[in-house]
Amino acid sequence: MTDAPQAAERPAFQLKSTTVSLTALELAYFDTDSFEATLRDKIRQAPGFFRDIPIIVSLDHFEGPTGELDFFKLLGICRRHNIHVVGVRGGNDDQRRLARNAALAVLPGSGRGDREATAPEQAPEAEPALEPVGARPVSANPAAARVVTQPVRSGQQVYAPEGDLIVLASVQAGAEVLAAGNIHVYGPLRGRALAGVNGLEEARVFCQSLEAELVSIAGHYKISEDLQATGWKAPVQIQLRDDLLVVTPLDRA
Amino acid sequence: MARIIVVTSGKGGVGKTTTSASISTGLARRGHKTVVIDFDVGLRNLDLIMNCERRVVYDFVNVIQGEASLNQALIRDKRVETLYILPASQTREKEALTKEGVEKVINQLSETFDYIVCDSPAGIEHGALMALYYADEAIVVTNPEVSSVRDSDRILGILQSKSRRAEMNQDPVREHLLLTRYNPSRVEKGEMLSVADVEEILAIPLLGVIPESQVVLNASNQGTPVILEEQTDAGQAYDDAVARLLGEEREHRFMDSQKKGFFARMFKG
Ligand SMILES: Nc1ncnc2c1ncn2[C@@H]1O[C@H](COP(=O)(O)OP(=O)(O)OP(=O)(O)O)[C@@H](O)[C@H]1O
Ligand SMILES: [Mg+2]
């Protein structure tokens, strides 16, 4: 084989720095059954959302004993549901060692403790673009809105992974729109709208006519039959108050 | 360059083949050289409605696989001389329609024809995707019922994301809504969606409304595209649709209940 000279002329790859926003699975404790049950529930709320996207497991709010944290089991369950876990964020040294043993990437945490621990090693004026993936909270990450001008039709899914989603047409029954931030629909919302999918509880859904099959904000959702009481077929905004979705007609907002 | 028109619906049995036969006949009757292709491999239907099933020797799949030339497979209509039919195979697998094969045939037809009408099979699987892939325009055939409207919506999404025009970032496929098997008295009773309901949901331009009519069944059984039954409401409604497709403005008709007219006629004599 005489590949070497060729490789010298044209390297097989280059390293580039890039910023991606990732969805974090914020783990409170680990128990195989309840983990799988919760996962199944999330997938049911947003079928297709998890498919083929990278997920990180955040240990910032992990309260269970470290001995419980079986990454091999966790990965096995995720794989069964076609979810790709690429790494963990946060956690203490023992937990990170467990993650490394399971061949997971280890990212610095977003919580206090971890930042303090790694701060001395970091350059004081780190370039924002080089900041580790997912290290900043989502709300501090203003991203351009994704604007869609065509109707989102049955069977289609539109996802704004970083910021707001603005649809200048209808979202049809059987269609699904998702955003890390707010969702605006300047037409009838007849399908499913999931705002704040990375956990942003301040996210809201605005629409010209509420006829939705499902509305979700940061994982809290209501289905069609629970949405009929206020503002049905009228212009409304929907927001999260005390873990409850509240619908307000726009002329009273 | 030919204009490529797909007749599609998602849902089965809504009137795609009936529509393909009448629209292609209507275009050809106005002097446009037109070919209608049956994409429903395994379920030949178009040649029955066009009354040429006994003249089929070679088919679309034979041409794609190089077993026959296009000229050998094309059947010339006996009534309208600028009209040709490319029949489907009854025996082959749907997968015989490859993207490259279909493209080859369509390119070749494009050289000599003004209009290529593609009669899509039902569903959103391979055959339906092949039928719509090369389309410039789409006639979305819809019945006034929720499941048909939902499937039409789905097909519209596919047209805007999976057609060649979408993949190449060209101007989008031009969409036309054709509401068929429309029964105004059942709409009045609230048993079916109204024209306004369907237009409101799908939000695409209305090409025409074809009334539900026994005439359509009779014409199919005789192997006559119903557009040739010029004295009938369904025939006239298809003729209006062809005129609109060619840019003519025609007022929509056959949308109101004919009950009064019917009774009036009954008691006249
Ligand atoms: N306007 C109409 N009034 C009454 N009957 C109709 C009308 N249009 C179609 N039909 C009847 O409905 C049946 C299905 O029509 P057709 O074969 O054109 O549908 P299709 O959409 O091509 O079906 P498939 O999905 O199986 O290909 C036929 O029996 C046809 O005669
Ligand atoms: Mg058919």
Side-chain angles (χ1 to χ4, degrees):
Chain A
M1 296 302 285
T2 50
D3 279 353
Q6 222 177 329
E9 275 164 35
R10 199 168 58 89
F13 62 83
Q14 292 180 315
L15 287 177
K16 294 232 164 119
S17 111
T18 170
T19 316
V20 221
S21 162
L22 292 174
T23 299
L25 193 157
E26 191 76 70
L27 198 63
Y29 64 97
F30 184 72
D31 163 82
T32 340
D33 289 345
S34 51
F35 182 83
E36 183 151 20
T38 311
L39 193 63
R40 207 171 268 140
D41 190 47
K42 294 286 175 205
I43 293 172
R44 183 154 10 87
Q45 282 173 45
F49 168 63
F50 292 101
R51 204 180 304 132
D52 298 331
I53 66 161
I55 295 268
I56 57 167
V57 173
S58 167
L59 299 172
D60 288 335
H61 299 284
F62 188 75
E63 285 159 3
T66 298
E68 221 177 46
L69 201 51
D70 187 336
F71 281 111
F72 290 99
K73 270 200 192 129
L74 185 149
L75 289 176
I77 296 168
C78 288
R79 216 169 288 132
R80 263 210 305 287
H81 293 275
N82 284 319
I83 292 174
H84 307 287
V85 176
V86 295
V88 299
R89 179 178 77 179
N92 59 33
D93 285 351
D94 285 344
Q95 292 162 351
R96 288 157 161 272
R97 198 170 309 121
L98 289 171
R100 245 179 240 117
N101 287 343
L104 287 169
V106 177
L107 305 165
S110 67
R112 315 230 93 242
D114 193 79
R115 185 143 303 157
E116 273 159 26
T118 55
E121 296 158 28
Q122 274 178 349
E125 300 282 339
E127 245 186 84
L130 293 176
E131 243 189 79
V133 167
R136 285 179 296 168
V138 177
S139 52
N141 218 345
R146 177 163 180 195
V147 180
V148 175
T149 55
Q150 294 286 320
V152 185
R153 303 268 182 194
S154 175
Q156 290 187 313
Q157 189 187 54
V158 176
Y159 177 35
E162 310 208 347
D164 290 359
L165 176 65
I166 299 173
V167 183
L168 295 168
S170 57
V171 173
Q172 299 283 60
E176 187 169 83
V177 289
L178 309 109
N182 305 300
I183 296 177
H184 304 251
V185 182
Y186 295 102
L189 170 56
R190 300 180 174 125
R192 304 155 64 96
L194 296 90
V197 288
N198 297 335
L200 183 69
E201 302 201 324
E202 294 75 36
R204 297 186 193 187
V205 174
F206 305 85
C207 63
Q208 231 13 275
S209 174
L210 176 65
E211 302 168 31
E213 292 166 335
L214 176 143
V215 173
S216 161
I217 293 171
H220 302 264
Y221 66 93
K222 273 193 176 169
I223 57 172
S224 174
E225 41 183 76
D226 304 324
L227 285 167
Q228 313 261 343
T230 341
W232 190 248
K233 295 207 169 180
V236 299
Q237 65 160 320
I238 303 154
Q239 55 196 312
L240 197 58
R241 275 200 212 124
D242 304 325
D243 288 353
L244 264 182
L245 288 199
V246 180
V247 180
T248 326
L250 278 182
D251 53 10
R252 270 189 271 143
Chain B
M1 273 301 275
R3 224 45 217 149
I4 303 166
I5 304 174
V6 62
V7 179
T8 184
S9 69
K11 192 172 160 72
V14 295
K16 292 179 293 296
T17 302
T18 304
T19 298
S20 300
S22 279
I23 296 282
S24 56
T25 303
L27 288 167
R29 271 214 305 179
R30 280 157 201 262
H32 303 289
K33 200 170 172 203
T34 304
V35 56
V36 54
I37 309 179
D38 190 347
F39 274 78
D40 209 343
V41 172
L43 285 171
R44 257 164 47 182
N45 248 324
L46 184 69
D47 48 356
L48 293 175
I49 293 192
M50 307 284 290
N51 199 17
C52 62
E53 77 278 11
R54 284 180 305 277
R55 293 160 63 205
V56 175
V57 182
Y58 294 111
D59 58 53
F60 192 15
V61 172
N62 290 138
V63 179
I64 286 179
Q65 302 194 333
E67 296 154 356
S69 73
L70 199 46
N71 283 335
Q72 285 175 305
L74 282 175
I75 300 173
R76 187 177 192 155
D77 190 74
K78 284 198 164 148
R79 292 156 294 219
V80 186
E81 63 168 22
T82 45
L83 179 61
Y84 291 78
I85 298 113
L86 184 54
S89 168
Q90 248 172 335
T91 51
R92 304 302 182 92
E93 298 285 315
K94 288 195 195 331
E95 282 63 35
L97 297 180
T98 60
K99 215 181 234 180
E100 298 71 35
V102 173
E103 180 173 27
K104 191 185 75 180
V105 173
I106 284 193
N107 283 347
Q108 214 179 327
L109 290 169
S110 271
E111 289 168 14
T112 46
F113 283 92
D114 300 323
Y115 287 95
I116 302 174
V117 176
C118 303
D119 179 18
S120 173
I124 51 171
E125 307 297 313
H126 183 74
L129 296 180
M130 285 301 105
L132 68 77
Y133 187 73
Y134 296 99
D136 300 309
E137 307 198 25
I139 297 176
V140 179
V141 180
T142 307
N143 290 167
E145 46 174 271
V146 173
S147 64
S148 173
V149 172
R150 177 73 74 97
D151 283 4
S152 293
D153 191 56
R154 185 110 197 221
I155 277 289
L156 286 165
I158 292 173
L159 281 164
Q160 298 309 345
S161 60
K162 299 221 171 100
S163 61
R164 177 172 59 175
R165 281 178 172 270
E167 285 184 359
M168 305 261 173
N169 263 322
Q170 295 168 342
D171 289 342
V173 176
R174 218 172 120 207
E175 303 156 333
H176 308 274
L177 170 63
L178 188 73
L179 206 50
T180 61
R181 313 198 67 159
Y182 196 72
N183 185 332
S185 58
R186 289 191 64 192
V187 173
E188 271 165 33
K189 282 187 230 147
E191 294 169 1
M192 278 185 165
L193 298 174
S194 70
V195 179
D197 291 336
V198 180
E199 274 190 288
E200 218 261 315
I201 298 173
L202 292 179
I204 62 169
L206 182 66
L207 182 68
V209 179
I210 313 295
E212 165 93 31
S213 163
Q214 180 66 33
V215 172
V216 177
L217 294 171
N218 297 346
S220 300
N221 288 337
Q222 288 161 22
T224 310
V226 70
I227 195 170
L228 293 175
E229 306 284 352
E230 292 170 26
Q231 304 310 314
T232 65
D233 49 1
Q236 290 170 9
Y238 271 117
D239 190 62
D240 285 356
V242 172
R244 289 188 201 105
L245 195 63
L246 293 170
E248 235 177 88
E249 295 233 352
R250 287 211 185 168
E251 219 172 303
H252 289 282
R253 38 183 183 157
F254 313 115
M255 286 162 48
D256 300 320
S257 169
Q258 305 264 301
K259 238 184 300 170
K260 257 187 224 134
F262 173 74
F263 278 108
R265 258 180 284 142
M266 286 284 289
F267 293 118
K268 218 191 274 170

